[in-house]
């Protein structure tokens, strides 16, 4: 049996409106992979700039409508760097268990009939794969090595889909059956909140290490904790081979509109991270001299969607993947925003850092929501800009769900800061003492249950003398 792709029929008019008789348009196919069947939730056009506007991949930024767009007169004009960077930005917005499944091309002619065009499209897919693999905690590469290429001819308005195996060096294509269906795909919605409250000491040999390096190490440790967590569905342990369909209650999706909204099965997921029960002998224990600590505090909200035939095992993987992807996205956005502000003054013993919080937006005529991240002081209007530029979505501010997580209450942090400074003023430091600024970083994450903040604590240490 060949590969089958299921997509809502409201996506076909979107492709047709992109059709032009003298140029090409390229974009991303977003959805969920399940063995030989894919479920497409959205198609997002990629804004392609003139080659002089994109010098290298590291400098690429999200597309902007204000910048000059270069018409693509042929498939050879497609810039792999820009499409790959678009894929990375969009992956941050996808819930766990969903990926960039491939690309679509709208334009005159049949791209599959031109070997050079097929070779170019394979190069684009390989560039996407390579770019996503640089951020392992985004979990950006889908389980299947075969990536989709959907081609709609702007002249005949006919479409054809094939797959290209990115693991194989050959540029051969394989047939795929793409179905636009009027009946809505039924989804399972899984909601989870995980409490983060961990302290990570910073050893003396890492006192000059950058914030980004520290956060990357902590992200790795947290990822391992999430990976080992025990997962419960509606308060019970479930057989991983069982179908999700047997659980939960079916109900209309709140706020859903259009003929494809339908019903949705809603489940609550709880994660429990096992304690380390390993015992060590006294002679195996080590004392590490530290200059500070990073503390993660908060409740991170997760929402994922699984296709109607998904199993408990697939659901558990999607939830864990979503938590790590969301955490990685926040921290990447946070340290990029602080690139010029990483070095605090020695007098600053406690500094607050608030990574962006998660907001949701429903896809048109769909039960599925995608994410955006807002920094403190930003509102739904900033999310609208991102949604338009990255997902080619036109939505209203009222469509942005901002109540999933709320901004941190900074009052507790400033009380801690005042107390810390009072204690520090009573200390007498020797002449050779060093004061090291160490970030005590946490998340301004947290649902209505709890709003907490992240702080950076600067501690002092005294060198040992004989």
């Amino acid at each position: 049996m060949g590969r089958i792709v299921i997509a809502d029929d409201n996506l076909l008019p979107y492709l047709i409106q992109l059709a032009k008789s003298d140029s090409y348009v390229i974009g991303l196919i977003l959805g969920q992979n399940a063995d030989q069947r894919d479920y497409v939730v959205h198609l997002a056009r990629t804004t392609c700039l003139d080659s002089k506007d994109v010098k290298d991949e590291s400098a690429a930024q999200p597309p902007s409508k204000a910048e000059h767009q270069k018409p693509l007169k042929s498939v050879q004009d497609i810039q792999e760097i820009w499409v790959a960077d678009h894929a990375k930005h969009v992956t941050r917005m996808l819930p766990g268990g969903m990926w960039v499944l491939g690309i679509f091309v709208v334009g005159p002619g049949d791209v599959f009939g031109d070997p050079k065009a097929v070779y170019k499209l394979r190069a684009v897919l390989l560039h996407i794969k390579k770019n996503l693999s640089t951020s392992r905690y985004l979990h950006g590469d889908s389980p299947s090595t075969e990536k989709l290429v959907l081609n709609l001819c702007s002249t005949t308005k006919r479409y054809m889909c094939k797959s290209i195996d990115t693991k194989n060096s050959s540029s051969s294509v394989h047939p795929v059956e793409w179905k636009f269906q009027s009946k809505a795909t039924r989804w399972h919605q899984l909601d989870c909140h995980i409490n983060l409250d961990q302290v990570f000491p910073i050893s003396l040999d890492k006192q000059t290490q950058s914030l980004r390096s520290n956060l990357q190490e902590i992200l790795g440790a947290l990822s391992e904790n999430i990976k080992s967590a025990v997962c419960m569905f509606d308060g019970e342990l479930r057989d991983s081979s069982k179908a999700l369909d047997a659980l939960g209650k079916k109900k209309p999706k709140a706020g859903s509109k259009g003929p494809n909204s339908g019903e949705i099965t809603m489940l609550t997921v709880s994660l429990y991270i096992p304690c380390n029960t390993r015992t060590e002998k006294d002679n195996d224990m080590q004392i590490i001299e530290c200059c500070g600590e990073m503390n993660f505090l908060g409740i991170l909200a997760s929402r994922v969607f699984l296709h109607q035939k998904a199993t408990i095992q697939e659901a558990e993987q999607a939830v864990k993947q979503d938590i790590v992807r969301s955490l990685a996205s926040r921290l990447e956005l946070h340290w990029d925003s602080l690139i010029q502000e990483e070095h605090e003054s020695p007098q600053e013993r406690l500094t607050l850092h608030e990574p962006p919080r998660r907001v949701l937006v429903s896809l048109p005529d769909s039960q599925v929501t995608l994410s955006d991240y807002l920094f403190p002081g930003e509102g739904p209007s900033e999310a609208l800009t991102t949604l338009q530029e990255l997902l080619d979505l036109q939505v209203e501010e009222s469509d942005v769900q901002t109540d999933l997580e709320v901004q941190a209450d900074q009052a507790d942090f400033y009380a801690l800061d005042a107390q810390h400074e009072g204690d520090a003023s009573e200390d007498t430091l020797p002449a050779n003492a060093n004061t090291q600024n160490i970030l005590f970083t946490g998340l301004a994450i947290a649902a209505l249950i709890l709003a907490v903040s992240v702080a950076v604590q600067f501690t002092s240490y005294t060198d040992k003398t004989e």
Side-chain angles (χ1 to χ4, degrees):
M1 183 178 178
R3 192 169 178 182
I4 298 175
V5 178
I6 304 297
D8 290 341
D9 59 2
N10 66 324
L11 296 176
L12 181 57
Y14 173 74
L15 287 176
I16 294 176
Q17 75 175 14
L18 295 177
K20 295 182 180 179
S21 60
D22 60 347
S23 62
Y24 288 82
V25 173
I26 188 170
L28 304 176
I29 301 172
L30 313 178
Q32 195 162 93
N33 173 259
D35 295 328
Q36 289 297 305
R37 183 175 292 249
D38 295 305
Y39 298 89
V40 175
V41 297
H42 190 59
L43 302 173
R45 171 178 52 178
T46 299
T47 302
C48 293
L49 302 186
D50 201 333
S51 58
K52 64 183 180 181
D53 295 323
V54 182
K55 298 179 180 180
D56 56 65
E57 186 170 352
S58 62
Q61 297 296 324
S64 172
K65 300 295 183 181
E67 296 184 77
H68 174 65
Q69 297 185 36
K70 178 187 177 182
L72 302 176
K73 295 301 182 181
S74 74
V75 174
Q76 302 304 321
D77 292 335
I78 295 172
Q79 302 168 33
E80 296 98 326
I81 290 177
W82 199 250
V83 181
D85 195 63
H86 184 205
K88 183 175 181 179
H89 286 289
V90 167
T91 297
R92 290 173 175 170
M93 308 176 77
L94 295 176
M98 291 193 180
W99 302 273
V100 175
L101 299 177
I103 56 178
F104 68 83
V105 180
V106 180
D110 174 17
V111 297
F112 299 119
D114 181 358
K116 291 184 178 180
V118 173
Y119 184 84
K120 179 69 172 182
L121 295 176
R122 182 177 183 276
V124 173
L125 293 172
L126 288 175
H127 219 88
I128 292 175
K129 182 181 180 69
K130 179 180 178 181
N131 196 32
L132 290 175
S133 65
T134 60
S135 302
R136 57 177 296 197
Y137 299 115
L138 286 182
H139 297 285
D141 197 19
S142 65
S144 175
T145 59
E146 289 196 11
K147 307 304 179 183
L148 302 175
V149 178
L150 175 65
N151 176 219
L152 183 136
C153 177
S154 57
T155 304
T156 64
K157 303 301 187 292
R158 293 181 179 178
Y159 60 88
M160 178 182 297
C161 184
K162 294 184 181 294
S163 66
I164 297 178
D165 193 341
T166 54
K167 190 176 181 180
N168 194 325
S169 59
S170 171
S171 295
S172 60
V173 296
H174 307 283
V176 174
E177 184 180 2
W178 184 292
K179 296 181 179 180
F180 285 107
Q181 62 178 20
S182 57
K183 182 180 179 181
T185 300
R186 186 164 58 83
W187 296 94
H188 302 281
Q189 176 182 311
L190 285 74
D191 289 325
C192 177
H193 291 83
I194 182 165
N195 192 351
L196 295 177
D197 186 1
Q198 286 186 260
V199 177
F200 297 89
I202 307 299
S203 60
L204 285 180
D205 60 347
K206 295 182 180 179
Q207 60 180 301
T208 59
Q209 186 167 277
S210 68
L211 169 64
R212 178 170 185 159
S213 297
N214 285 329
L215 291 180
Q216 284 177 326
E217 291 182 2
I218 292 173
L219 179 59
L222 290 173
S223 176
E224 289 300 314
N225 288 344
I226 299 300
K227 183 178 179 180
S228 65
V230 176
C231 194
M232 302 182 72
F233 294 81
D234 283 344
E236 297 183 25
L237 287 172
R238 309 284 184 171
D239 185 343
S240 62
S241 63
K242 297 296 184 181
L244 275 177
D245 223 16
L247 309 179
K249 297 181 179 180
K250 299 176 183 177
K251 58 182 70 175
K253 179 71 179 287
S256 57
K257 303 175 182 178
N260 290 353
S261 53
E263 292 184 336
I264 190 166
T265 303
M266 307 183 74
L267 295 166
T268 300
V269 179
S270 303
L271 290 184
Y272 297 92
I273 300 176
C275 296
N276 188 355
T277 57
R278 180 171 58 92
T279 59
E280 298 183 359
K281 298 179 181 179
D282 291 342
N283 57 0
D284 292 333
M285 299 182 67
Q286 296 180 345
I287 297 177
I288 301 176
E289 193 170 4
C290 298
C291 57
E293 61 188 17
M294 286 189 178
N295 189 4
F296 275 73
L297 299 171
I299 299 177
L300 189 148
S302 169
R303 176 169 295 174
V304 302
F305 298 85
L306 277 298
H307 61 88
Q308 53 193 347
K309 295 183 179 181
T311 64
I312 296 293
Q313 183 179 15
E314 290 177 292
E316 179 176 339
Q317 291 174 347
V319 171
K320 293 181 177 181
Q321 187 182 88
D322 182 73
I323 292 171
V324 175
R325 177 185 288 174
S326 178
L327 184 58
S329 299
R330 299 166 199 253
L331 295 184
E332 285 183 3
L333 292 169
H334 182 62
W335 68 53
D336 285 346
S337 70
L338 294 179
I339 193 168
Q340 301 297 331
E341 306 175 32
E342 192 171 314
H343 303 289
E344 305 288 345
S345 64
Q347 289 74 28
E348 300 254 5
R349 308 177 74 86
L350 250 156
T351 303
L352 174 69
H353 280 260
E354 296 181 70
R357 63 191 178 99
R358 191 179 206 172
V359 296
L360 302 177
V361 60
S362 296
L363 292 171
D365 298 330
S366 175
Q367 303 164 345
V368 176
T369 60
L370 303 187
S371 301
D372 192 21
Y373 296 94
L374 299 181
F375 284 93
E378 292 183 338
S381 59
E382 282 80 9
L384 299 187
T385 302
T386 305
L387 293 168
Q388 180 180 0
E389 293 177 347
L390 294 179
L391 299 177
D392 204 14
L393 280 178
Q394 300 285 346
V395 297
E396 303 293 333
E397 288 192 22
S398 57
D399 296 325
V400 181
Q401 304 172 31
T402 59
D403 58 350
L404 183 70
E405 298 177 350
V406 297
Q407 293 188 28
D409 183 359
Q410 299 183 12
D412 292 339
F413 162 74
Y414 289 117
L416 178 62
D417 188 13
Q419 179 182 357
H420 186 86
E421 289 185 356
D423 294 340
S425 64
E426 299 175 1
D427 297 336
T428 302
L429 300 179
N432 64 339
N434 295 309
T435 300
Q436 176 65 36
N437 296 344
I438 301 298
L439 284 168
F440 192 159
T441 308
L443 302 170
I445 326 180
L448 296 175
I449 306 173
L450 178 66
V452 290
S453 68
V454 184
V456 182
Q457 180 171 358
F458 299 101
T459 64
S460 62
Y461 66 92
T462 304
D463 292 335
K464 289 185 177 181
T465 57
E466 297 293 337

